Amino acid sequence: MKRILIALASASLLAGHPAQAAQRTFVASTGNDSNACSLGAPCRLFAAAISKTDPNGEVIVLDSAGYGAVTIAKSVTIIAPPGVYAGVSVGSGDGITVDGAAIDVVLRGLAINGQGGVRGVVFANGATLSIERCIVSNFTTNGIRLESSGAVSIVDSAVLSNGGDGISVNASSLTVQIRRSRIEANVGIGIRVQSAAGVAIADSSVTRSGGGGVELFVTSGFTAKLAIDRSLFADNAFTAVIAYATAPSAVARLDIRRSTVARNGAGILAIATAGSALVGALDNEVTDNAGNGIEANGAGSLVRASGNKVMRNAIGVKQTSSGIVYTPGTNYVRDNTTNDGGHTADTRI
Amino acid sequence: MKRALATICALGAALAAGDAMALAQRTFVASYGGDADPCSVALPCRSFGAAIAQTADNGEIIVIDTAGYGTVSITKSVSIIAPFGIYAGIGVGSGVSGVTVNAAGIRVRLKGLTINGISASSRHGVEILQAASVSVEDCAIANLGQYAVMTASATDVTLSNTTMRGNQGGGARLQLGALTVEGSRVIGNANFGISMDAGKTTVARTLVTANAQGGIHVSTSGSAGTLSVGSTSLVGNGTAGIDIGSSAAGGPARVAIAGNMIVANGSYGVYLANGPGGAVVADVGSNQLIGHSSQGLVTAGGSVSARVSANSVFGNNTGLAQSTGVLYTLGDNYVRDNATNVSGSTADSPL
């Protein structure tokens, strides 16, 4: 009896305060949600564990199992260590919703899979969200939907085979970083940005989308920025990289550099029906696209192209409908069906 | 002969069990361990602190299973290793640091730890007061009251594949010594993402984003400082992506900034100034400098010299600005679509 008491005492020391919220809680396949979510008595689902976790605390996955969809309204980190499968299967509605004013949330190591579910991860309200080592697949619309101001990082993750756009971004004062991630085989557009303070994509790939690869689509009067570095855009059915402005005073500012754009419906396009679509394209490989390699289309469209290799496309470089493609004499444009569909000379400093 | 055998057997048993008397070259901790145990694989300890006391110099502490293992002070050369698949947590309360490294000449390696501040008045995630070298690998360090990693001694510090997030002080700060940050993530810290007072800092293949004061900050104070930043994303940080010597009196700074994505930080992409103490000599090449409300790059100190080549500079208020100091352009920067593309600048030529 004495021994049990001692054991209980030491367990409570290590676990924090079993009856109250703890700085660290645990879930396991063998857990039960009426437990304290301690290491010795883990819970079964994320939702129960989060409710028993202090703000800025951690929920740890002990072994491989499914842990349930959840709405997160406090600052918390969910951690599945490498080697542990932590699934969230979603039959209907959304998988993980982040919805709390000024909260910071980290999702690390989760496999979020749609089984009829609508969206995998939704950033509805919060300060920061970091998605690390996660897989988001098979949802009926967006894999990841970001619609709150704040800052979001998506690192070492994959967004696969969703029915709509892979990643959908629409919040005016939001910054998004996508790094070392794979956006693959989504039925809509790989990454679609309607408004954002800044989106940066590096060391990532967007492939086999049913629509375009990356689209910056600005429909009202503000500036949205998207920058891309060292990434791959291949085998997307429509144009790989688009900056598209459709409203007066809308500015779609897109820069792509050191990237490969190959075997898509078309390569890199600035298009403006109103407002400005501004593209900087530097040091890219733009090859084997069915349509044109680099194109500006519409009076407000403008591309600055330098250091690109543009080969084996329909038209290599094209300016049309008063669009302008500036070239400072540094692009290598050959072996296209038509190499020069119009360009405007430019200088550097 | 029989006696020799018995001695060998006893010796073998002592080595295998990590005899309580002798320090073991390898010790173990587990959720079910007890700190009165010898920290052997069969009888593991419960906390890092107990395991270190029983570990020989240059030995290793291995985490057997997922649990929290407590804050620890390290005064000998040792590796703490949580293999992939195991969560090894350190919750950090008020007034203490998660891991404190404090002995001259020691070499310390931390792998796979999750260090989390559970009090707003906690100190640092990893606090380095004395050591020859500290390597932090595959760690996540978050929510501390001060810095994720604070180096206050002439120590070689390497941070590899490590996340530093949401700390109230900042990410990594180097007051002295040498810091290398590679393949890591520095996100949403309340101060600067990475800051250096003196010494050498190298940042490569790292994500630096949403840090409130700025991305990478150097304010050399007396001795010379060297900063090299490559293949790194600096996006959406406070005042500047990279700023040099803007606030402090300082010694000379040498700066190389190459191949980075520097986008949509508050006012400046790269801000180069010098304190009254010394010059800043910088080369800035092959970067994207995009979307800043003031300048993409500015020389803002009388003793600043910047060599600027092969950058793409678009969509800033001013692209390249020579305020004071000298901004040399090699003729291969693409600077367009800024409200003002170039303000000042001095033409330079290749050899």
Side-chain angles (χ1 to χ4, degrees):
Chain A
M1 184 57 196
K2 196 174 163 194
R3 193 168 176 153
I4 291 169
L5 273 176
I6 290 167
L8 280 173
S10 68
S12 68
L13 263 178
L14 293 167
H17 323 284
Q20 303 145 3
Q23 53 105 348
R24 192 183 292 130
T25 60
F26 298 86
V27 293
S29 63
T30 53
N32 186 315
D33 284 348
S34 59
N35 286 345
C37 306
S38 63
L39 182 54
C43 289
R44 182 66 192 84
L45 297 175
F46 286 142
I50 288 171
S51 73
K52 295 171 187 172
T53 306
D54 287 333
N56 285 325
E58 300 168 310
V59 176
I60 318 300
V61 180
L62 290 172
D63 66 350
S64 292
Y67 290 96
V70 63
T71 293
I72 300 174
K74 68 167 76 159
S75 293
V76 70
T77 297
I78 299 179
I79 302 172
V84 174
Y85 164 91
V88 175
S89 292
V90 186
S92 62
D94 299 329
I96 295 183
T97 303
V98 176
D99 190 358
I103 62 172
D104 301 306
V105 173
V106 179
L107 308 175
R108 188 173 297 147
L110 309 183
I112 304 162
N113 190 40
Q115 297 282 296
V118 179
R119 302 178 295 186
V121 178
V122 180
F123 186 55
N125 189 12
T128 66
L129 168 64
S130 186
I131 299 172
E132 306 168 15
R133 289 195 292 102
C134 290
I135 296 174
V136 184
S137 57
N138 297 317
F139 286 87
T140 59
T141 66
N142 308 139
I144 298 173
R145 166 73 174 171
L146 308 176
E147 57 191 23
S148 166
S149 60
V152 175
S153 300
I154 301 171
V155 182
D156 295 325
S157 291
V159 181
L160 311 174
S161 303
N162 296 289
D165 302 332
I167 300 174
S168 168
V169 181
N170 191 358
S172 58
S173 46
L174 169 67
T175 59
V176 182
Q177 285 258 19
I178 300 171
R179 193 171 174 91
R180 292 198 316 220
S181 290
R182 196 155 58 86
I183 320 301
E184 186 176 300
N186 297 288
V187 173
I189 296 164
I191 301 170
R192 187 169 204 244
V193 179
Q194 285 180 274
S195 72
V199 177
I201 302 168
D203 300 318
S204 294
S205 67
V206 181
T207 57
R208 292 195 279 124
S209 304
V214 171
E215 181 172 307
L216 179 59
F217 183 61
V218 184
T219 57
S220 57
F222 58 86
T223 298
K225 302 186 199 91
L226 171 63
I228 300 166
D229 195 10
R230 292 190 309 266
S231 291
L232 168 68
F233 302 86
D235 301 310
N236 297 291
F238 298 148
T239 305
V241 178
I242 307 178
Y244 194 176
T246 67
S249 74
V251 179
R253 160 97 250 162
L254 186 152
D255 293 274
I256 177 169
R257 192 175 66 131
R258 298 189 297 189
S259 295
T260 296
V261 179
R263 300 186 307 275
N264 303 284
I268 299 170
L269 171 66
I271 180 166
T273 55
S276 305
L278 308 173
V279 170
L282 285 93
D283 303 325
N284 302 291
E285 292 277 340
V286 183
T287 58
D288 298 299
N289 296 289
N292 301 330
I294 298 176
E295 178 175 351
N297 186 331
S301 70
L302 183 159
V303 177
R304 306 276 180 181
S306 176
N308 301 289
K309 277 80 175 174
V310 185
M311 303 193 181
R312 301 181 301 279
N313 305 285
I315 299 173
V317 172
K318 183 185 183 191
Q319 52 185 28
T320 187
S321 307
S322 305
I324 302 173
V325 178
Y326 286 104
T327 56
T330 52
N331 299 285
Y332 199 4
V333 184
R334 286 290 182 264
D335 300 327
N336 300 283
T337 308
T338 302
N339 288 320
D340 187 0
H343 68 275
T344 304
D346 203 1
T347 56
R348 299 182 296 166
I349 181 165
Chain B
M1 183 62 193
K2 197 173 167 191
R3 190 171 175 151
L5 266 178
T7 306
I8 289 166
C9 287
L11 192 62
L15 285 173
D19 183 291
M21 306 300 286
L23 297 178
Q25 54 102 350
R26 192 178 290 122
T27 59
F28 298 85
V29 293
S31 64
Y32 51 86
D35 282 348
D37 287 333
C39 306
S40 63
V41 69
L43 291 168
C45 290
R46 183 64 191 87
S47 71
F48 287 141
I52 282 190
Q54 306 211 38
T55 307
D57 208 35
N58 288 320
E60 298 168 306
I61 297 165
I62 317 300
V63 180
I64 292 175
D65 68 350
T66 290
Y69 289 97
T71 61
V72 61
S73 180
I74 300 178
T75 55
K76 64 175 75 163
S77 292
V78 71
S79 297
I80 299 179
I81 301 170
F84 285 125
I86 291 167
Y87 163 93
I90 296 177
V92 186
S94 176
V96 296
S97 293
V99 177
T100 305
V101 180
N102 191 6
I106 63 172
R107 298 183 177 278
V108 172
R109 177 168 172 250
L110 309 173
K111 177 180 160 54
L113 307 182
T114 302
I115 303 173
N116 191 43
I118 55 174
S119 162
S121 50
S122 56
R123 286 175 60 82
H124 310 295
V126 178
E127 181 172 10
I128 301 161
L129 297 170
Q130 287 187 90
S133 72
V134 175
S135 178
V136 178
E137 306 163 20
D138 308 316
C139 291
I141 307 173
N143 300 322
L144 274 302
Q146 299 185 33
Y147 288 82
V149 179
M150 164 62 87
T151 305
S153 59
T155 302
D156 290 336
V157 178
T158 301
L159 311 179
S160 180
N161 191 30
T162 286
T163 299
M164 293 169 273
R165 188 192 57 76
N167 299 289
Q168 290 309 305
R173 179 167 179 188
L174 184 72
Q175 293 183 316
L176 203 60
L179 172 67
T180 299
V181 182
E182 67 97 18
S184 292
R185 295 153 295 281
V186 188
I187 302 171
N189 297 288
N191 204 296
F192 297 104
I194 297 169
S195 57
M196 176 173 81
D197 304 315
K200 297 179 286 188
T201 295
T202 304
V203 181
R205 298 185 306 283
T206 288
L207 175 66
V208 182
T209 189
N211 298 290
Q213 295 295 312
I216 298 175
H217 173 72
V218 175
S219 62
T220 52
S221 52
S223 58
T226 305
L227 173 70
S228 175
V229 183
S231 299
T232 286
S233 299
L234 295 134
V235 180
N237 296 290
T239 311
I242 299 174
D243 83 286
I244 309 297
S246 59
S247 61
R254 295 167 181 279
V255 179
I257 300 169
N260 303 291
M261 174 188 244
I262 304 172
V263 177
N265 300 287
S267 300
Y268 310 100
V270 176
Y271 185 94
L272 301 171
N274 59 283
V280 171
V281 181
D283 72 275
V284 181
S286 301
N287 303 286
Q288 274 175 311
L289 294 158
I290 291 168
H292 298 97
S293 61
S294 293
Q295 289 110 6
L297 180 148
V298 58
T299 58
S303 302
V304 173
S305 162
R307 309 276 177 183
V308 178
S309 66
N311 300 286
S312 50
V313 187
F314 299 133
N316 305 285
N317 187 33
T318 302
L320 300 177
Q322 174 179 294
S323 177
T324 54
V326 188
L327 189 161
Y328 294 99
T329 54
L330 193 61
D332 59 354
N333 297 285
Y334 205 5
V335 186
R336 286 286 184 260
D337 306 325
N338 306 283
T340 302
N341 286 319
V342 179
S343 167
S345 88
T346 301
D348 209 354
S349 55
L351 187 64

